[in-house]
Amino acid sequence: MGERSFPHEEFVAVTGITQYRVVEKYLSKRNDVYRLACEENHNQEKKHIVVKYYSLSTLHLLPQEVKTLEFLYWQGVSVPNLYRAGSNLLVMEHIIGPTLLELIETAEHDSKHQQFNRYQVRKQLIFELLPWMEKAYAALDAVYGEPVILGEVHLRHFIAGKRLTGVDFKSCTAGRKEADLATLMAYILHYNPAWSLWKRQLTQELREAAIQLLRLDERILGQYLEEKISKLIHRRHHQQEQLFLG
């Protein structure tokens, strides 16, 4: 199947905006996510917004993401303001700043400012992300009436803007917080270059801080982490086999 183009007709029908241009398309594995520049009041000023265009395989998750985004926003959790929702797309506030994944990649590869960059990553993960998760979990528990977790905890889903902002909630599901933290730690360890000394030290510090702040069960967290790492190693081995076989 070829790559989908921007849904111009759907966007205009949902927003009524006709003067705009697509600035860029973000990396997203399951949906198409775009940044647009739109004219405001027929002047030269441009307002940037984000449009998430759902694939057929994830369309059933759209109502849940709408509900979660709206509730978290009104509960004071740092998430994008949802402007409009259509049958297959969301129109949201554009958050300026690098993703946490971009920060951690810079910290690994920019040797000139390595000490400062690594300090920034540690600050964002331990003193921004963990408190954000604590507040989000409390809000999710309140709206769904049971313990609900993020489900997909990728560093690319968090933007280090004026304040740390979470931007993806399509995978929220009932579960234990230990599963989210295990996913987060496993991904950090496996981002290229995988299992570096700095990443192992960072993950250990994150683990200790999360156990205290989020009141996690250390044994259960360890079990989830072993399972997640095993799955990631198996998946990467399978991908390498496919590349070798062509």
Side-chain angles (χ1 to χ4, degrees):
M1 182 180 293
E3 182 176 338
R4 298 190 303 173
S5 59
F6 182 77
H8 294 282
E9 290 186 8
E10 293 97 326
F11 174 74
V12 173
V14 168
T15 65
I17 298 173
T18 58
Q19 300 298 315
Y20 65 91
R21 65 183 177 88
V22 178
V23 177
E24 64 177 318
K25 183 178 182 181
Y26 295 115
L27 176 64
S28 178
K29 292 183 177 180
R30 300 176 68 185
N31 298 301
D32 296 326
V33 184
Y34 303 87
R35 176 162 66 94
L36 273 61
C38 307
E39 280 191 12
E40 283 196 319
N41 302 322
H42 303 288
N43 57 32
Q44 297 301 311
E45 185 178 354
K46 303 290 184 181
K47 179 176 182 177
H48 288 243
I49 59 175
V50 169
V51 176
K52 177 183 284 190
Y53 183 31
Y54 281 70
S55 65
L56 289 176
S57 64
T58 62
L59 192 57
H60 65 288
L61 300 174
L62 186 150
Q64 172 183 281
E65 184 153 28
V66 169
K67 177 181 178 180
T68 304
L69 271 170
E70 290 181 335
F71 188 81
L72 290 178
Y73 183 82
W74 289 112
Q75 289 296 309
V77 180
S78 184
V79 299
N81 191 0
L82 179 62
Y83 297 138
R84 295 283 190 279
S87 61
N88 61 355
L89 60 81
L90 302 182
V91 181
M92 299 180 287
E93 175 187 7
H94 172 239
I95 306 298
I96 299 174
T99 66
L100 290 186
L101 177 56
E102 290 169 335
L103 288 183
I104 204 169
E105 288 177 336
T106 299
E108 280 281 24
H109 300 292
D110 183 2
S111 58
K112 185 176 180 180
H113 305 100
Q114 186 177 80
Q115 187 173 357
F116 174 76
N117 290 332
R118 291 186 175 184
Y119 163 77
Q120 289 295 324
V121 169
R122 177 180 177 273
K123 175 186 173 185
Q124 288 292 331
L125 288 178
I126 296 174
F127 299 105
E128 299 290 340
L129 178 57
L130 289 183
W132 183 96
M133 295 176 80
E134 181 185 32
K135 191 172 184 178
Y137 287 140
L140 289 170
D141 288 357
V143 70
Y144 288 107
E146 63 178 332
V148 170
I149 61 175
L150 302 175
E152 279 189 11
V153 194
H154 294 287
L155 293 185
R156 64 175 178 271
H157 293 165
F158 296 93
I159 299 175
K162 292 182 179 179
R163 57 178 181 161
L164 187 72
T165 302
V167 298
D168 192 293
F169 302 95
K170 65 182 177 297
S171 300
C172 287
T173 185
R176 296 188 62 105
K177 292 178 284 187
E178 288 87 354
D180 271 355
L181 267 295
T183 299
L184 176 64
M185 291 189 293
Y187 279 134
I188 290 174
L189 288 169
H190 281 83
Y191 288 132
N192 190 44
W195 292 90
S196 67
L197 175 60
W198 172 63
K199 285 200 179 80
R200 296 200 304 272
Q201 293 171 338
L202 178 66
T203 302
Q204 181 59 32
E205 188 173 4
L206 178 66
R207 176 179 184 154
E208 292 171 359
I211 288 172
Q212 294 298 318
L213 182 64
L214 302 177
R215 299 172 293 281
L216 306 181
D217 185 304
E218 188 170 2
R219 180 185 61 83
I220 293 176
L221 176 60
Q223 291 175 345
Y224 275 120
L225 183 58
E226 287 182 9
E227 292 173 6
K228 189 64 181 181
I229 288 174
S230 178
K231 289 179 180 179
L232 284 176
I233 291 174
H234 176 76
R235 187 170 71 189
R236 288 198 170 189
H237 180 69
H238 178 72
Q239 290 172 342
Q240 289 172 352
E241 284 186 335
Q242 293 301 310
L243 287 172
F244 178 76
L245 295 173

